Amino acid sequence: MTCHRTLGSFEQFQNALFFRGMRSSYIFTPHDGQICSIPDHHAWDSNTASRYDAICRALGCRALDRIEIGFTTEEVIDAIDHQLAHLTLGVTQDCNFRCDYCIYSGEFSGLRSHSRTYMSEDTAIASADYLVAHCSQARKDLFCTFYGGEPFLNFPVIRSTVDHLSHVLKERIRFSVTTNGSLLDREVRRFLIDNRIFLSISIDGDRESHDRHRRFCDGRPTFDHVIACIDKLRHEDEAYFNLYVTFAVTLTGDTDYLVLDEFFSRYPNNVKVSGVMFYGSQTIRPVRGNSRNISLMIEKFLEGCRTRAFDNEESRQPYRFASSVISRGLRAIHNRRVAETVLFDGTYALTKHCIPGATKLFVAPDGVFYPCEKLDSHTHLAIGDFEHGVDKETVMRLLHEYLTLRDSHCRECYLIDICDYCFQSASDGHGWDEQKMELHCEYAREEYARAFSLYAQILEEDGSALDFLDNQPDRFNR
């Protein structure tokens, strides 16, 4: 059966994407990663199928026969035993905020709620030693991240773990903390600065945007307090602040991109944006179709490309937020694999997702292991604990279960070699959820179709305008 999907003004046929730039029409074929110009295509009609089918046949593009795990059992075992590079410690499930969109708010069935649960120092040190024992062949810099709840509610455990790992691993280890920014007192600030710890501060923009969703437990607004803490940290060591601090923004159905762009232009820091989780909630609205002024961010990003503002740090600054909103899909497209012949034929080896317990490892306060912090309390995805290590049989079982989902949903998708969706997109906390997975897939197909069109528009004007994404030109074949 031939796969055809209409994605707004784009078309997916077989597993190829047909789309337009400003001047020409194009096809993206995932089996070789190529983007080729084609005769102009218009709205779907009775003749389109035969025309598209002829193009796909000529380019050798067809749906996959099957998808398989891209790692052997031996590779998985070796990675778990020797290649762990990123440990995340959930040092508490407690939080001094009650953000109404938080996945731990109790709004989402299947996920945990806030609790006064704290990781002990013994569990933290034992988990840190697990990293030390399993990182001998890690291919990346070693990282230990502290996560919550609000992790600075358990500051003593953070301090002792940093001291321990710094003593054992020396310069090999780096540290980061994800925080709401409300507990940055002088002692914490000095600790962060002295240890050069990367800090991700959750802030949703200006006072109105931020306080709309992010409140203290007693309902008081949090913006003024968080900004005061941020300003003190900036004043104490501006060089540290500029280099080590990132802002994390949760985009919601209320988001006004223009307001956020104006707010973050005051800071030189990178901004990481993510859409609010709404699947499973009765009250939270998705970003798509509800937020405002995204078109202005696209125009601003295009302006930055036209003026080559992204070529250096100083000229990039006014466009930083627009880039964080717009460039994720473009970066994935620009960094896609490209081959002169084929990347794969009838069988695709799936490797975009992580190897649980090897790529990253999340340790809950009680010492239970999960693949990453996004899967905290997803009980069916627990893969071990700090006393017994990673259960490799469980990891292989989960990989096969996930593969079964991908094999049934992804054979005819044009994003097969670009999509980086993982376990989180298909788990509801208690088990696998195909409805959730399909919703994520629908969003991804539509968002990437728009990104391909934007990618073409930019490179039609200037073939090297997106070199800043990875400094690899000649990714666009016209």
Side-chain angles (χ1 to χ4, degrees), residues 141-305:
D141 291 339
L142 302 182
F143 253 95
C144 179
T145 296
F146 300 96
Y147 189 76
E150 170 47 50
F152 284 120
L153 288 170
N154 202 0
F155 179 49
V157 165
I158 294 176
R159 182 191 289 278
S160 60
T161 307
V162 168
D163 290 345
H164 178 72
L165 281 174
S166 296
H167 175 74
V168 175
L169 293 172
K170 311 299 183 187
E171 288 78 18
R172 285 193 69 196
I173 187 73
R174 299 183 182 185
F175 302 95
S176 64
V177 183
T178 300
T179 177
N180 61 32
S182 67
L183 299 177
L184 305 181
D185 60 23
R186 179 166 178 76
E187 182 183 11
V188 170
R189 295 196 303 271
R190 286 314 318 168
F191 170 77
L192 293 169
I193 293 167
D194 292 344
N195 290 279
R196 288 299 188 254
I197 292 176
F198 291 92
L199 192 67
S200 175
I201 302 176
S202 298
I203 184 167
D204 286 354
D206 66 301
R207 180 181 289 103
E208 181 180 355
S209 301
H210 179 90
D211 285 340
R212 185 181 294 122
H213 300 287
R214 302 183 64 80
R215 298 268 173 166
F216 283 114
C217 293
D218 60 7
R220 288 179 297 122
T222 60
F223 177 84
D224 288 341
H225 181 81
V226 171
I227 286 296
C229 290
I230 289 173
D231 289 345
K232 287 176 183 177
L233 181 61
R234 186 178 191 179
H235 177 75
E236 196 151 340
D237 191 324
E238 188 157 10
Y240 164 83
F241 181 84
N242 292 346
L243 185 60
Y244 286 85
V245 175
T246 299
F247 294 132
V249 182
T250 299
L251 305 174
T252 70
D254 306 300
T255 292
D256 187 326
Y257 289 97
L258 188 60
V259 172
L260 267 57
D261 182 50
E262 180 181 350
F263 173 82
F264 287 110
S265 67
R266 308 171 192 173
Y267 297 93
N269 311 73
N270 285 328
V271 180
K272 181 180 179 180
V273 301
S274 58
V276 67
M277 178 174 169
F278 64 92
Y279 182 84
S281 167
Q282 300 298 314
T283 60
I284 298 174
R285 296 187 301 159
V287 179
R288 187 178 69 170
N290 294 300
S291 57
R292 300 184 297 281
N293 289 320
I294 184 63
S295 62
L296 296 181
M297 293 301 98
I298 296 173
E299 286 302 317
K300 187 165 185 176
F301 181 80
L302 289 172
E303 177 187 289
C305 292

Side-chain angles (χ1 to χ4, degrees), residues 3 16 19 22 59 91 146 223 311 380 440 461:
C3 172
F19 63 98
M22 289 296 290
L59 295 175
V91 293
F146 300 96
F223 177 84
D311 289 356
H380 73 112
H440 276 79
E461 295 290 333

Side-chain angles (χ1 to χ4, degrees), residues 2-4 11-18 44 49 52-53 56:
T2 297
C3 172
H4 164 244
E11 302 286 347
Q12 177 181 329
F13 186 83
Q14 303 285 22
N15 65 341
L17 178 71
F18 292 79
W44 186 268
Y52 282 8
D53 185 60
C56 287

Side-chain angles (χ1 to χ4, degrees), residues 426-438:
S427 172
D428 66 2
H430 292 312
W432 299 113
D433 186 336
E434 292 193 58
Q435 184 178 352
K436 179 181 179 182
M437 181 177 179
E438 184 52 43

Side-chain angles (χ1 to χ4, degrees), residues 15-16 40 43 49 58 61 70 115 168 175 182 189 244 258 289 316 336 365 375 382 396 405 446 453 462:
N15 65 341
D40 277 352
C61 184
S115 71
V168 175
F175 302 95
S182 67
R189 295 196 303 271
Y244 286 85
L258 188 60
R316 180 183 301 188
R336 73 193 185 279
L375 299 170
M396 291 306 302
L405 290 174
E446 293 187 12
S453 181
D462 182 346

